[in-house]
Each structure stands twice: as structure tokens, then as C-alpha cells.
Amino acid sequence: MEKESKNPGSLEAEGDSSAPSGAASARPGDAEGYDLLREVKQEVKAQVFHNAGYLRLDFFTLFWLFLGGSVFGLVVETAFHAIVYGGLESRAGLVWGPFSPIYGVGAVALTLFLNRFYHSHNLVIFLVAMVVGSALEYVTSWGMEFFWGAIAWDYTGTFGSINGRTNFAFGMMWGLLGLVWVRVILPFVKQVFSHVNAKNALVRAVTAVMTVLLAIDVVVTVLALDREGQRAVGIPATTWEQRFFDEHFPDSFLQSRMQNMSVYGKK
């Protein structure tokens, strides 16, 4: 049985002559549009202001994600190169240790951008990760060429290439990686971190020591690559810093360490 109207005298009652012409056809669409905008607004507000995210993000969490991502990424890339191209190649990105920092930065970036989307549709996660990963790859490639005249990859001529710095295929890979990151890796990370007391004195000491060592590794790598770029364009060593890097980090060492990178120097 049809439910009776709560307000029989309402102007919205069928056949009411006081309703403006065309209002009956215009209002439902307007209401639907308003409801959609309101839902979008509420979702954005919830994401930005009220969503604590899947992981609690602090320096401890982000640092170990960076470290773990750097090691795991290096292992995966080395295995990928061996399977696809054959043979082992050093894919390290720092002068010391089994680290590829682009994957560490990728781990942190994916976590920062996707931590609030763990409940979202897989397509949303995929698209966000695809954009974030592609942007990271583009900026990294541009930065290496701008600061050191170095090229580690060039996708020129491939489908969806953007200035040779990223392309559609690797964007898809970043999207897939984002899905795996949110659905598989983050739950594992959360479980592991649940057994670690970040406020423990020993844990804090280890984190502090590793932070200092990694910072030194990054700084020395940047300076060594800068000097390699200088040597590539024929700049002689005139300071003790230049002589130090010429002696301890010559081209032979850096080219053997970072076999996927070619340094031509800044033009």
C-alpha cells in the first residue's frame, strides 16, 4: 500500500497549481547534483581533516620505510634486470650499502599519498600510485641530469613517453606497485611495527645511528657524483675536496657501483 503524504497541504502535492512551470522537472536534477557535490565535499573534508590513515606517520615510521624500500627496491630491480636482460648488474644508488634511494623515496611517497586511501576502491589506489610514481620518476630523472649531467634511464620513443623520463608502461607498474603496497605491504608493515616500541631507548639509538650513517652516505654520494660530472667536462682538481673524491671515488669505482648510470657532466 502506498504510504500517505505527511503533509497533504504541501505545495509539492501532485497537481498543485502554485508550483512554477517546469519546477517539477528541474528540481530533481538540481537536487541530485547538489547531493553529489555535498558527498564529494564531505569525502574531501574527511580525507584531509578527519582521516588518521592506516599507519601512524612519524619520523620513525617514515625512516624505516625509506630504508626498507631502498633495500627491497634494489633487490627487486636487480632480479628484474637479471631475468629480463640477463646477467647481474650493480643497481645501487649510493656509494655504500645495498640501497637504491629512488625506491626508498617511492616507499615514503606512496605511503604519504595512499595512507588515507586504504579503504578506497582499487582503481583509485592504482591511479593515485600511477601519478605519484610517474611524477617521482620524472623529477628524479630531471634532477640527475640538471645537477650532474647524469642519465640513468631514457624512455624516448616508447609508448606514452614524457620527455624520455617516464612512460605509460612504467606508470602502470607504479600503479600496480601502489596496489600491492596498500593491500599487502602496509598491513605487513603495520603488524611488524606493532611489535616494536619506538620509544624504547635501544630502538631510538639504533634509529638515530642509522639516520646519521644514511645521511653521510647520501651526502658523500651527491658530492662524488658532482665531482664525476666535473671530471667529465675536464675540470681539474684544485681543492682538497676535489682531490679527495678523485682519489677515493674515481670514475672506475662509480661506474662499477652504479652501472645503470652514465655521467656526462653539466653542459
Side-chain angles (χ1 to χ4, degrees):
M1 180 179 294
E2 188 176 3
K3 187 180 294 184
E4 294 182 2
S5 173
K6 294 183 179 180
N7 186 4
S10 172
L11 293 177
E12 296 177 2
E14 184 178 357
D16 194 307
S17 60
S18 63
S21 175
S25 60
R27 284 180 179 175
D30 292 343
E32 290 177 4
Y34 176 76
D35 289 343
L36 179 60
L37 289 175
R38 184 173 59 182
E39 289 179 7
V40 171
K41 180 180 179 181
Q42 290 175 346
E43 176 65 18
V44 171
K45 186 176 180 180
Q47 290 288 346
V48 175
F49 297 106
H50 302 293
N51 187 349
Y54 187 72
L55 285 180
R56 178 185 175 184
L57 300 182
D58 50 24
F59 176 80
F60 174 83
T61 301
L62 294 177
F63 172 77
W64 287 104
L65 280 175
F66 175 85
L67 198 68
S70 296
V71 175
F72 181 72
L74 178 63
V75 171
V76 171
E77 185 175 348
T78 302
F80 175 81
H81 183 274
I83 295 172
V84 175
Y85 300 104
L88 292 176
E89 182 178 280
S90 176
R91 314 290 290 186
L94 298 178
V95 293
W96 297 307
F99 306 123
S100 182
I102 186 174
Y103 294 104
V105 174
V108 171
L110 288 178
T111 302
L112 290 175
F113 280 92
L114 297 177
N115 193 45
R116 296 172 179 270
F117 290 93
Y118 66 93
H119 65 286
S120 299
H121 193 279
N122 286 340
L123 180 60
V124 174
I125 296 173
F126 179 89
L127 292 176
V128 172
M130 183 177 182
V131 172
V132 171
S134 297
L136 174 64
E137 209 169 25
Y138 188 98
V139 171
T140 301
S141 174
W142 174 86
M144 289 191 299
E145 188 171 355
F146 178 81
F147 289 106
W148 308 307
I151 297 177
W153 59 83
D154 185 0
Y155 305 138
T156 301
T158 60
F159 178 73
S161 171
I162 304 177
N163 297 333
R165 303 189 189 284
T166 187
N167 65 6
F168 181 77
F170 281 92
M172 295 286 286
M173 290 184 184
W174 277 105
L176 182 60
L177 177 60
L179 268 179
V180 174
W181 190 260
V182 172
R183 300 305 185 206
V184 179
I185 298 178
L186 283 187
F188 173 75
V189 170
K190 188 172 185 178
Q191 183 178 14
V192 170
F193 281 0
S194 68
H195 298 289
V196 178
N197 181 8
K199 296 182 179 180
N200 179 273
L202 178 60
V203 173
R204 294 176 67 177
V206 171
T207 302
V209 170
M210 289 301 299
T211 300
V212 172
L213 292 177
L214 191 61
I216 294 173
D217 199 355
V218 170
V219 171
V220 172
T221 299
V222 169
L223 295 176
L225 289 175
D226 184 64
R227 179 55 191 152
E228 184 181 12
Q230 293 176 5
R231 289 194 296 264
V233 294
I235 298 177
T238 58
T239 66
W240 72 267
E241 297 97 332
Q242 292 172 325
R243 289 191 290 270
F244 173 85
F245 283 102
D246 284 355
E247 179 181 354
H248 296 282
F249 300 97
D251 292 348
S252 57
F253 169 81
L254 294 173
Q255 291 168 5
S256 173
R257 177 73 178 166
M258 306 172 189
Q259 295 179 8
N260 62 321
M261 182 185 298
S262 299
V263 178
Y264 303 101
K266 292 184 288 186
K267 298 179 181 179

